[in-house]
Amino acid sequence: MSVPEQQPSPVISVRPVVLPAPTRGTDLQVRVTAPVSGTELPVVVFAHGFGGNMDMYAPLVEHWAAHGFTVLQPTHLDSRTLAVGPDDPRYPVIWRIRAADLTQLLDSMETIEAYVPGLAGRIDHERVAVAGHSWGGQTASLLLGARVLDADGTPGEDLSDPRVTAGVLLATTGTGGADLTPFAAEHFPFMSPSFAEMTTPALVVAGDQDTSPLSVRGPDWFTDPYHLSPGPKSLLTVFGGEHSLGGVPGHGVTETTDESPDRVALIQHVTTAYLRSVFNPDDPAWSQVDPGSLGRIESR
C-alpha cells in the first residue's frame, strides 16, 4: 500500500453534545472529534451501523480528525444504548429519523462549534461530507441523493441536502426487491434504495468477502451504490474484507469477524486521501493512492 499523508495532529473529543429534538422523542447526543489546531476544517458527519453509537468507529474518526477534519457522530435511535424496540411507535420510521439526525447536525453546526472548547470559528461550513457504515451507509446515501422506493417501486421523498458535497459509504447495502431474503423483505421494507438520483460525489468501500444474511446475492450487493449511481464515484474493493472491513467499528469490537489491522489502515488512508482531494481538487493525494495487494480502486 502506498498512500501519501501528512503527519497526524493531536485531537480532542467531546461527548455528549446534546441537541434538543422534541419531535424525535429523545434528545440527539453527538460526539465531536477535531484536531486541536488548524482552521477551515472540513466536516464529516458519520452515521453508525445498526445498534451502534457515537463512541464507536474510533479507527476512522480519530484518523480523520488527526488529518484535519472535524467529525460529528450522532447516536441514532436504534442504538443498543437507547433500547428503542419494535414496540416503539418510532421504530418503523427509524430509517427516516436517522436521516433527520444528520440534517439536524448540519443545522446545528454553529451550536456544536460553540460547545466544544477552542473549536469556534475553525469549522469550514462549506466543505461537508457524510459517511456511514452498513445501515449508516444507507442513511448517509439519502443525503447524497439516494431514495427509498415506495411499495409500488417509485422513488420516495428526496432527503438530499445541498450542503453535503461528498460521501464515504462503507459496506452499504444494495438494492431491494428480489435481492432481499424473505426475512429482510418482511422486516426491513425501507431496504429498497434507488441510487439513480445519488449524484453527489462519493467513495464506496466494499469487502469482497462480505456476504449478508439480508440478501440472496453475494458480496457484489455492496457495490450497487457505485455501479447504479451517476458519477463521479469511486469504489475501493477490500480484498478479504467482510462486513466489518477488518475492524472499522472499533478496536476489539465483538462483531468483527475479519480482524485485520492492514485492512483498517488501508481504509483509513484511502478515505482520508479521497476526502482531502474531493474538498481540494489541487491536492494530489487521491491520484497517488496505490492499495497494492490489499485492494483495488476504480473510478468513473
Side-chain angles (χ1 to χ4, degrees):
M1 175 180 65
S2 175
V3 183
E5 272 197 357
Q6 302 168 340
Q7 288 297 312
S9 301
V11 303
I12 183 173
S13 192
V14 175
R15 52 84 66 203
V17 177
V18 180
L19 301 176
T23 61
R24 187 177 185 263
T26 302
D27 287 344
L28 181 59
Q29 297 190 35
V30 187
R31 186 184 193 102
V32 183
T33 307
V36 298
S37 61
T39 59
E40 299 181 347
L41 304 173
V43 176
V44 180
V45 180
F46 189 91
H48 62 71
F50 177 75
N53 58 68
M54 64 184 171
D55 296 322
M56 296 179 64
Y57 297 95
L60 288 180
V61 171
E62 293 181 2
H63 191 271
W64 290 338
H67 291 85
F69 298 90
T70 295
V71 186
L72 311 181
Q73 294 176 269
T75 291
H76 297 297
L77 287 180
D78 57 277
S79 173
R80 287 184 289 269
T81 64
L82 299 180
V84 175
D87 57 340
D88 190 292
R90 296 169 293 179
Y91 197 81
V93 292
I94 279 182
W95 68 271
R96 185 182 291 271
I97 297 172
R98 275 175 150 263
D101 291 345
L102 302 190
T103 301
Q104 183 174 1
L105 291 190
L106 298 181
D107 294 339
S108 306
M109 282 202 291
E110 290 185 0
T111 300
I112 294 169
E113 219 177 348
Y115 191 94
V116 178
L119 189 59
R122 297 174 52 216
I123 289 180
D124 186 343
H125 295 226
E126 302 300 319
R127 295 192 291 171
V128 178
V130 291
H133 174 250
S134 192
W135 194 9
Q138 189 197 40
T139 303
S141 76
L142 296 176
L143 272 71
L144 300 174
R147 308 274 191 94
V148 172
L149 297 177
D150 293 334
D152 62 0
T154 59
E157 183 182 356
D158 179 5
L159 301 177
S160 63
D161 195 304
R163 294 170 292 187
V164 176
T165 55
V168 176
L169 306 180
L170 303 141
T172 299
T173 55
T175 53
D179 290 341
L180 297 180
T181 61
F183 175 86
E186 179 182 354
H187 293 89
F188 308 116
F190 60 85
M191 196 175 288
S192 186
S194 167
F195 299 108
E197 299 85 7
M198 195 174 77
T199 57
T200 306
L203 169 64
V204 177
V205 180
D208 71 354
Q209 299 299 311
D210 188 357
T211 55
S212 174
L214 302 176
S215 176
V216 298
R217 288 170 54 192
D220 68 300
W221 190 47
F222 294 95
T223 67
D224 283 356
Y226 172 75
H227 291 294
L228 301 181
S229 64
K233 297 291 186 298
S234 294
L235 172 66
L236 168 64
T237 301
V238 181
F239 296 158
E242 298 179 13
H243 199 58
S244 294
L245 298 170
V248 297
H251 304 291
V253 172
T254 56
E255 294 96 319
T256 299
T257 58
D258 63 331
E259 185 174 2
S260 169
D262 288 341
R263 291 191 195 107
V264 173
L266 171 70
I267 295 167
Q268 287 173 327
H269 295 299
V270 170
T271 56
T272 300
Y274 177 81
L275 290 168
R276 281 175 52 186
S277 293
V278 79
F279 284 135
N280 180 10
D282 293 329
D283 191 317
W286 180 244
S287 64
Q288 297 172 3
V289 169
D290 179 7
S293 62
L294 296 173
R296 179 182 64 251
I297 293 176
E298 52 194 286
S299 300
R300 56 177 181 77

